[in-house]
Amino acid sequence: MYKVISCLSGRGAVLSGQSCCSRSSSAKLHLAGGAICQKSAFKHPNKDLPEMPPCKFSPEEYKGMSKERMMEIRKQNCNPMTMKVTYYKKPVFIHQGYMQWLWDVDGRRYLDLFAGVATVSVGHCHPKVTAAAKQQLDKLWHTTNIYVYPALHEYCEKLASYFPDPLKVIYLTNSGSEANDLAMLMARLHTGNFDIITFRGSYHGGSPQTMGLTSNAAYKYPVANGLGCTNTMCPDVFRGPWGGSHCRDSPVQTIRDCGCAPGHCMANVQYIEQFKETLATSVPNRIAAFFGEPIQGVGGAVQYPKNFLQDAYKLVRERGGVCIADEVQTGFGRTGNHFWGFEGHDVLPDMVTMAKGIGNGFPMGAVVTTPEIAASFCKGVHFNTFGGNPVACAIASSVLDTIREDGTQQNSLDVGTHLMAELAKLRDKYEIIGDVRGKGLQIGVEMVKDKASREPLPAVAMSEIFEDVKDMGVLIGKGGLYGQTFRIKPPMCITREDADFFLAVFDKSLHSYMERK
Ligand code: PMP
């Protein structure tokens, strides 16, 4: 008799990149839908590993090129940067995905808590979205907006319905950088001003123009860039000079003290003073725009004092600038309480840019703005061949329907709040967790040498924990200026059970790290 082992049902850990299947004998059991598991021979020596929640889906058997061959090609023919950015000493070779799960080429299952960098919004290969894509592929792959076709119009009307007035005009792009490039140009044309302000530590894109908005040395090249872009202090209430235990809109506050009277956040006052100083010293009297993410993504889920954006928007508008919310990571219900991150700050931007989750992994982006700003942009002809491609529109339209039908936003709130509350308990248990923050399923866990100094946990320690978490079957991300923050931004279909599995894995990896130290 064959016994199906843990590939489909359980145990997370497998040693040195080998799958549970590949460690067993060669006899194979083929399951419905193409899954392959082998006769049980291997038993992991560590019996205390957390149990991975079950998954009924069966991936196809992998028959592609070897891992070694892929790495050779990666070295010789791929953009060399791919070698630099490859996650893990023993990389993950991904073969297939389904909802919150990924399988590697050995048939090993992972809980994906990073979603291809906060991008797979409703779930890998979500059946409804996949069906919508297939239906459109059978009908029409491409035409462009010199013609009139339903997919574009259905989507623009639907996306506009998710915004309050006057944010009703949609420009479709193919990525977040492209959306932010476009927003920069539109802001400059509309206001007649040139200067744009962003927060330090932010990421708004890697194109030559958006590189100026992005404020993280790792993503900057030594070429003339950032003309007209000024980066100002990020009002980070954990790592910044000011912050206390009531400042932010999150189920978990910092462990810093707070002596402010209720409703009077002194950290906000101090950070706004810094913003005013930037306005007084580093830009002309009239500016074009201020870009801000509702919660910093690549920066490590950094949150600002509750009223900061409201006050900053006012100051920007007094100087003739427009306010732009970069919702590339925070949009589409990820923050839980609201569909858009800006709503959580009680502000109304003049422009909203988005990408990533918009297409559940299909390349797409958008700028949403007012008819007035759009009118200023009609001075020249703006054309984008693929922006509004019928397949992209059909997919994005189905993503919006799926978020509503699956209760994705509510799930983000419920599972995310649970996850953060439990992570806060781990913060209290381990000296090296400095901060837990975020909203919904946009979560950051900032690691420190110790709580008193708040010095970032060194890269070597970060990668040991990171690798260990992966070896136990969970993929998370890293970010922050010093690479010190673990980022949790999963497909928004994860369950409480998945969250608990991750918590057990994370606890175990931290415990092992502290024991080794
Ligand atoms: N804005 C934010 C907030 C992002 O996180 C990113 C990508 N990490 C971008 C813009 C750029 O998006 P893309 O990679 O699609 O160009």
Side-chain angles (χ1 to χ4, degrees), residues 207-264:
S207 66
Q209 263 221 121
T210 56
M211 203 194 300
L213 303 179
T214 293
S215 175
N216 180 330
Y219 300 104
K220 298 231 182 230
Y221 284 86
V223 293
N225 76 85
L227 185 63
C229 296
T230 297
N231 310 129
T232 189
M233 181 184 273
C234 178
D236 176 347
V237 298
F238 172 69
R239 180 156 293 287
W242 306 286
S245 55
H246 293 93
C247 307
R248 65 189 179 205
D249 175 20
S250 168
V252 182
Q253 297 294 332
T254 69
I255 48 167
R256 296 175 85 169
D257 291 335
C258 178
C260 300
H264 293 276

Side-chain angles (χ1 to χ4, degrees), residues 117 175-178 180 203-206 293 297-298 326 328-329 355-356:
V117 193
S175 71
S177 301
E178 222 184 88
N180 283 340
Y203 186 93
H204 296 287
E293 293 170 80
V298 176
D326 180 333
V328 167
Q329 295 212 10
K356 292 192 188 275

Side-chain angles (χ1 to χ4, degrees), residues 478-499:
K478 268 193 290 188
L481 263 186
Y482 315 101
Q484 81 281 24
T485 304
F486 289 124
R487 293 160 67 198
I488 298 155
K489 300 148 187 233
M492 294 182 274
C493 56
I494 64 157
T495 64
R496 231 178 133 101
E497 227 188 330
D498 301 330

